[in-house]
């Protein structure tokens, strides 16, 4: 599934074949435990997302809540999107790569870690990245990027 019209995360997971849903449930649990206060879980862009509510930060370019983390089943793999990794720049990415568990292959895009099974991920590191930024810190980053345009 590349995009979904599901209206809730639970509906999204029900749309998946059970083995894929089970893998996402494991990763979702890690995300939920690590998520800083204030972010809200919802559906966005056809994925399960954790966002800054519009009431907190309405000044987005697309009038949608600012995405912090997302989880999605793609056609041949799944992805966890880590905006704190992207927003931290190359220093944070280098640290992330250095800390990645040596026995696990890292398939990393700009802010997206691709995987087939939850066991492919360094779940402790994923949790550390998610818990590394507060809601206010992430909003401050968004404001600083917006001001620089």
């Amino acid at each position: 599934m590349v995009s979904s019209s599901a209206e809730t995360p639970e509906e999204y997971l029900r749309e998946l074949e059970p083995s894929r849903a089970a893998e996402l449930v494991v990763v979702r649990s890690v995300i939920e435990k690590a998520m800083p206060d204030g972010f809200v879980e919802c559906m966005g862009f056809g994925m399960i997302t954790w966002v800054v509510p519009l009431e907190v930060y309405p000044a987005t370019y697309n009038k949608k809540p600012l995405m912090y983390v997302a989880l999605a089943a793609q056609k041949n793999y799944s992805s966890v999107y880590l905006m704190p990794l992207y927003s931290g720049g190359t220093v944070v990415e280098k640290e992330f790569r250095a800390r990645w568990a040596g026995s696990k292959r890292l398939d990393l895009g700009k802010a997206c870690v691709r995987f087939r099974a939850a066991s492919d991920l360094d779940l402790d590191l994923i949790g550390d990245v998610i818990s590394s930024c507060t809601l206010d810190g992430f909003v401050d980053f968004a404001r600083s990027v917006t001001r620089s345009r």
Side-chain angles (χ1 to χ4, degrees):
M1 163 184 320
V2 175
S3 186
S4 171
S5 60
E7 294 186 16
T8 68
E10 291 73 24
E11 184 181 337
Y12 180 86
L13 292 168
R14 282 193 302 269
E15 290 177 352
L16 300 174
E17 61 184 66
S19 62
R20 292 203 69 198
E23 297 297 333
L24 290 189
V25 166
V26 170
V27 178
R28 181 181 180 210
S29 175
V30 169
I31 293 169
E32 289 173 334
K33 286 178 187 163
M35 190 59 58
D37 291 338
F39 292 98
V40 176
E41 183 186 40
C42 61
M43 291 299 298
F45 307 100
M47 306 179 285
I48 301 172
T49 60
W50 288 262
V51 300
V52 176
L54 284 172
E55 301 80 43
V56 174
Y57 184 68
T60 62
Y61 75 95
N62 60 4
K63 308 296 183 227
K64 295 181 187 256
L66 185 61
M67 184 175 69
Y68 183 65
V69 173
L71 183 61
Q74 306 298 346
K75 185 175 180 181
N76 296 313
Y77 57 88
S78 296
S79 298
V80 59
Y81 298 84
L82 302 168
M83 292 299 113
L85 188 61
Y86 181 73
S87 64
T90 56
V91 171
V92 172
E93 181 185 338
K94 284 180 184 177
E95 180 182 322
F96 182 82
R97 287 180 182 278
R99 285 189 55 202
W100 188 263
S103 63
K104 298 178 187 285
R105 181 179 160 272
L106 175 60
D107 187 356
L108 177 66
K110 281 275 192 193
C112 148
V113 180
R114 293 174 284 272
F115 64 97
R116 294 190 189 278
S119 61
D120 295 340
L121 298 171
D122 182 334
L123 293 172
D124 290 336
L125 180 54
I126 299 286
D128 288 350
V129 168
I130 291 167
S131 65
S132 70
C133 190
T134 64
L135 179 88
D136 290 340
F138 192 63
V139 168
D140 288 346
F141 166 76
R143 285 188 176 119
S144 73
V145 171
T146 305
R147 272 188 238 118
S148 66
R149 289 186 198 165

